[in-house]
Amino acid sequence: MKKWIPIASGLLAGFIAATISFADFSSNSKTETASANNKSDAEKVYVPFGKKDDYYLFASGGHSGQMFIYGVPSMRKIRTIPVFSPDSATGYGFDEHSKKLMGGYTWGDLHHPALSETKGDYDGKWMFATDVGNSRAAVVDLKTFTTKDIIKVPNTAGPHCAAFVTENTEYMFLPTRFAVPLGQKYEKLDDYSSKYRGVMSAVTFDEKNVKLNIAYQVALPPWSYDLSDAGKKSSKDWAVMTTYNTEEATTTMEVKASQADRDYIVLFNWKELAKMVKDGQYEEVNGQKMIFPEKQKGGIYLVPVAKSPHGVDVTPDGKYFIASGKLAPAMTVFSFEKAFKAVQNKEFSGERNGIPILKYESVMEREVNPENALGPLHTQFDDKGMAYTTMFISSEIVKWDPKTGKTLDRVPVQYSPGHSVSAEGDTVAPDGKWLIALNKIAKDSYLSVGPSHPESMQLIDISGKMKIIQSVPVDPEPHYAQMIKADKIKTIEVYPKDPNNKDAVYNQKDTKIVRKGNEVHVYGIAMRSRFVFEAKAKRPDVIEVNQGDHVFIHLTNIDFDEDITHGFAINDYDLNMEVQPGQTNTMEFTADKAGTFPLYCTNFCSALHQEMNGYFLVKPKQ
Ligand code: K7E
Ligand code: CUA
């Protein structure tokens, strides 16, 4: 293995320069090459054809705006779920429903997928995610693996610090990475400290109506909120989030936001905040209920932490939260119990922006500093409560005991892991068995595809001494992932008939083309291997409109057979959508181009798929 020092990250370059003198990077090069190198390793990841994987892995697609589904342990990629970006394969972002969901945006930056939980355990029903790029939140239905709702989160810019759900999915919290003036109106950067805010949104999910809602927001100081986690068991009413740039720098952040020796973890009691809102202790800001901690006191505290922290993770037993300082080579274990006592006894060392600061010594349990481990970012847990922390700079995973701070094991990864994910890792009862390192750099790992390489995911067997047994490339960018037992997810085979859907047509004889002025509504059917738009017409598979008409094509797939999906594309009209078995979907557009345009099924559905086409005729304006 080559010696490798990650100098690509601007954020960390200064730190590397400062620490290079004592960093022993050669320790990695002495370690055996971390690859699967014998038959028994290969057998562990081999899932023979016909057999299925034990776990689903939901990997964030970062700035692809999508989510990727893998099977574990085979690490076979199964599917892409488009969430915040359009996807021409499925027509996501082209059909009416998804176009509306996208809200006019064409990309997203999805960092942290979060499965819904019941009693602190993944329940396999829903998946949540947020978009750092365009400040949105989304929910994916795991019966169909499709995005069901997206909301724009006002007053915020870049909800990176999310989504992490509370024990029974009461809330997910969306604190933002970037501070902006409320409503993102123009304010001078010289007025940053007085006019800018970092806002935390508490989002609820209405399962019955499949709707996300913003319950309330908190106008926090103008700092960057980075990662959060919800409490568990005895700490279940609480949540924690890391924050950096408490220096309130407005330029050259990489230097100026790293000056203070300490930043903070924000510790808050969401039940108390909800009660404040119920009691009317908030102000209305751009339609949102906003708590201002300097005026509406209580429920929020600051815990000092080593400078520029990144991840914060609550242990499965809910007793501790562990912060990782990306610029300090240490993990800090804090005790919830100690924090509650410190709150009760008002053991404060001061306050900032009206938020009391708890005394560091009153809350800190221990500082953990594994030898030569650099750049700790995120921590996961196994079935015995042991912690696994990714080391971005020294490119390794360190296993350690939160109760003693003792280092137990370490394994080099290729290279620069951000997060890692363990099986059922964010629940009150992780499975152990597997850990996957989500690496930022994969050079040397796969066939070269030019100057830029994919990211990588390395599967690590953690049942004994940690060992990498598989490595797969992954598209940008796996920030975080969650791994859930496969049998918890119950997908449907076909969409059931929906008698209340006015756009659905289930019988060929009911197909019709309805004209109202310059609006044309097509109620059509897709079936193996033809389209029927109007059964009684001379050519049932042809749609004819006038130039300038506003066209709605409602299409129902009446093949109630698992996996018989049809597509619907109009040549040169830049339009494509899919209809899954039993599904009705609508495409809306203006027929502004006159001419003759073939329409066809894009999803290979039968031996006569190539015959599944027709014409879209647009009569020119006189
Ligand atoms: Cu560390 Cu966005 Cu969770 Cu990437 S974040 S690594
Ligand atoms: Cu329907 Cu191809």
Side-chain angles (χ1 to χ4, degrees):
M1 191 178 111
K2 274 188 240 162
K3 256 211 245 183
W4 189 73
I5 300 165
I7 50 168
S9 167
L11 178 80
L12 293 160
F15 174 59
I16 292 166
T19 54
I20 208 92
S21 52
F22 65 80
D24 178 17
F25 285 98
S26 64
S27 63
N28 270 1
S29 59
K30 276 185 232 135
T31 323
E32 61 177 303
T33 302
S35 63
N37 48 15
N38 63 45
K39 191 165 161 281
S40 67
D41 285 346
E43 278 170 355
K44 283 184 191 156
V45 295
Y46 181 63
V47 178
F49 180 69
K51 289 253 160 55
K52 288 172 190 162
D53 281 296
D54 298 330
Y55 293 92
Y56 283 91
L57 178 75
F58 292 80
S60 99
H63 44 293
S64 75
Q66 300 170 330
M67 205 179 296
F68 306 125
I69 312 301
Y70 283 77
V72 178
S74 75
M75 300 304 286
R76 294 182 291 212
K77 187 181 173 194
I78 300 168
R79 171 127 272 198
T80 295
I81 307 176
V83 182
F84 295 119
S85 304
D87 176 44
S88 95
T90 53
Y92 185 82
F94 295 81
D95 67 72
E96 263 329 278
H97 175 69
S98 57
K99 208 159 64 183
K100 267 193 202 120
L101 287 184
M102 301 258 308
Y105 295 99
T106 58
W107 80 289
D109 190 3
L110 191 163
H111 278 235
H112 306 110
L115 288 156
S116 56
E117 294 183 16
T118 302
K119 292 188 182 149
D121 197 14
Y122 301 150
D123 57 27
K125 294 200 278 189
W126 308 97
M127 171 57 90
F128 304 99
T130 57
D131 167 20
V132 184
N134 288 310
S135 307
R136 292 172 291 171
V139 57
V140 171
D141 187 345
L142 298 182
K143 288 195 295 297
T144 56
F145 281 61
T146 53
T147 304
K148 281 288 150 85
D149 192 30
I150 296 181
I151 53 166
K152 176 82 181 153
V153 188
N155 297 324
T156 61
H160 176 265
C161 193
F164 297 91
V165 303
T166 55
E167 247 186 17
N168 291 295
T169 320
E170 293 97 339
Y171 290 96
M172 55 172 179
F173 297 105
L174 277 53
T176 65
R177 174 171 161 196
F178 309 107
V180 290
L182 296 178
Q184 268 182 290
K185 54 181 202 284
Y186 171 83
E187 292 288 357
K188 287 196 184 70
L189 276 160
D190 286 343
D191 298 332
Y192 184 86
S193 292
S194 59
K195 299 267 171 69
Y196 285 56
R197 291 284 186 157
V199 170
M200 196 263 297
S201 307
V203 170
T204 54
F205 177 55
D206 171 356
E207 192 167 352
K208 199 167 141 249
N209 297 304
V210 198
K211 285 296 300 170
L212 294 165
N213 297 297
I214 300 167
Y216 60 88
Q217 296 185 317
V218 184
L220 292 164
W223 307 336
S224 291
Y225 300 87
D226 208 16
L227 258 300
S228 61
D229 202 1
K232 297 179 170 86
K233 297 182 174 176
S234 58
S235 58
K236 68 177 165 40
D237 299 346
W238 295 76
V240 282
M241 55 185 151
T242 52
T243 177
Y244 63 99
N245 193 24
T246 56
E247 295 89 344
E248 301 180 9
T250 55
T251 181
T252 49
M253 295 273 291
E254 80 180 288
V255 181
K256 294 201 169 133
S258 311
Q259 280 169 337
D261 281 339
R262 291 237 186 275
D263 285 299
Y264 301 105
I265 286 179
V266 184
L267 169 74
F268 64 94
N269 183 308
W270 52 266
K271 286 228 167 121
E272 259 180 65
L273 296 183
K275 191 171 171 293
M276 282 161 68
V277 172
K278 211 176 141 225
D279 295 345
Q281 289 187 61
Y282 63 84
E283 286 166 35
E284 190 118 340
V285 179
N286 302 314
Q288 303 302 319
K289 297 176 173 134
M290 186 78 72
I291 295 173
F292 289 85
E294 69 271 33
K295 292 182 223 161
Q296 290 97 28
K297 301 253 178 191
I300 308 177
Y301 305 90
L302 300 175
V303 180
V305 66
K307 69 157 78 176
S308 302
H310 188 50
V312 60
D313 298 277
V314 174
T315 53
D317 60 13
K319 289 190 174 147
Y320 304 99
F321 52 101
I322 298 168
S324 302
K326 59 185 185 272
L327 295 189
M331 291 83 80
T332 315
V333 183
F334 296 95
S335 156
F336 272 113
E337 204 180 310
K338 284 186 178 175
F340 301 157
K341 268 201 201 116
V343 167
Q344 214 166 34
N345 302 334
K346 298 198 163 48
E347 292 168 40
F348 303 142
S349 62
E351 63 159 54
R352 281 196 67 178
N353 303 52
I355 308 174
I357 304 169
L358 296 171
K359 282 197 183 124
Y360 179 72
E361 310 75 46
S362 302
V363 186
M364 197 270 292
E365 186 76 22
R366 66 177 48 84
E367 288 170 357
V368 181
N369 191 352
E371 204 185 346
N372 296 330
L374 289 174
L377 292 189
H378 300 283
T379 301
Q380 284 278 286
F381 303 95
D382 69 11
D383 52 329
K384 305 199 173 61
M386 295 304 119
Y388 297 76
T389 301
T390 48
M391 298 291 164
F392 182 83
I393 296 176
S394 53
S395 281
E396 60 180 329
I397 307 278
V398 174
K399 175 181 175 181
W400 57 285
D401 185 344
K403 296 225 160 68
T404 62
K406 224 178 121 201
T407 301
L408 303 172
D409 194 7
R410 44 212 291 181
V411 67
V413 294
Q414 283 83 3
Y415 304 94
S416 298
H419 285 259
S420 74
V421 53
S422 65
E424 303 254 324
D426 288 308
T427 69
V428 291
D431 269 9
K433 292 185 198 158
W434 302 115
L435 182 85
I436 296 170
L438 308 170
N439 307 317
K440 302 300 185 190
I441 307 285
K443 70 178 192 124
D444 307 340
S445 300
Y446 314 112
L447 292 174
S448 175
V449 287
S452 179
H453 296 260
E455 280 76 42
S456 87
M457 300 200 291
Q458 288 181 298
L459 179 70
I460 303 168
D461 181 351
I462 56 168
S463 54
K465 186 167 167 44
M466 281 193 286
K467 189 167 194 194
I468 293 178
I469 57 171
Q470 180 64 298
S471 177
V472 295
V474 57
D475 278 329
E477 179 179 327
H479 285 278
Y480 189 45
Q482 282 191 330
M483 205 191 310
I484 176 177
K485 279 194 195 83
D487 61 12
K488 283 185 177 176
I489 289 186
K490 314 268 185 241
T491 53
I492 57 167
E493 292 180 2
V494 299
Y495 282 86
K497 277 189 190 175
D498 180 1
N500 298 320
N501 187 345
K502 307 184 302 305
D503 299 333
V505 179
Y506 297 107
N507 277 311
Q508 284 192 61
K509 64 172 176 39
D510 296 331
T511 55
K512 60 187 173 193
I513 298 178
V514 182
R515 287 160 215 278
K516 289 182 226 147
N518 71 340
E519 232 178 58
V520 179
H521 282 265
V522 179
Y523 297 89
I525 271 172
M527 59 193 281
R528 276 168 294 184
S529 302
R530 73 178 87 117
F531 292 111
V532 182
F533 303 121
E534 194 166 43
K536 64 176 202 284
K538 181 174 169 195
R539 296 186 180 88
D541 47 11
V542 169
I543 301 169
E544 185 161 338
V545 302
N546 298 313
Q547 187 178 13
D549 277 351
H550 200 63
V551 183
F552 295 80
I553 295 170
H554 312 287
L555 196 64
T556 302
N557 179 350
I558 61 163
D559 284 320
F560 285 88
D561 253 334
E562 194 176 9
D563 207 17
I564 304 302
T565 295
H566 297 288
F568 174 83
I570 303 177
N571 180 246
D572 210 38
Y573 251 87
D574 198 28
L575 292 171
N576 180 45
M577 68 174 179
E578 72 170 17
V579 273
Q580 296 187 8
Q583 192 186 21
T584 303
N585 220 341
T586 296
M587 183 184 275
E588 178 191 344
F589 62 100
T590 303
D592 44 13
K593 270 187 288 197
T596 301
F597 306 94
L599 56 87
Y600 72 106
C601 172
T602 39
N603 209 308
F604 212 109
C605 52
S606 74
L608 295 174
H609 156 81
Q610 288 296 86
E611 279 72 15
M612 192 164 171
N613 53 239
Y615 282 98
F616 180 63
L617 298 170
V618 185
K619 237 193 255 171
K621 266 196 189 125
Q622 296 308 324

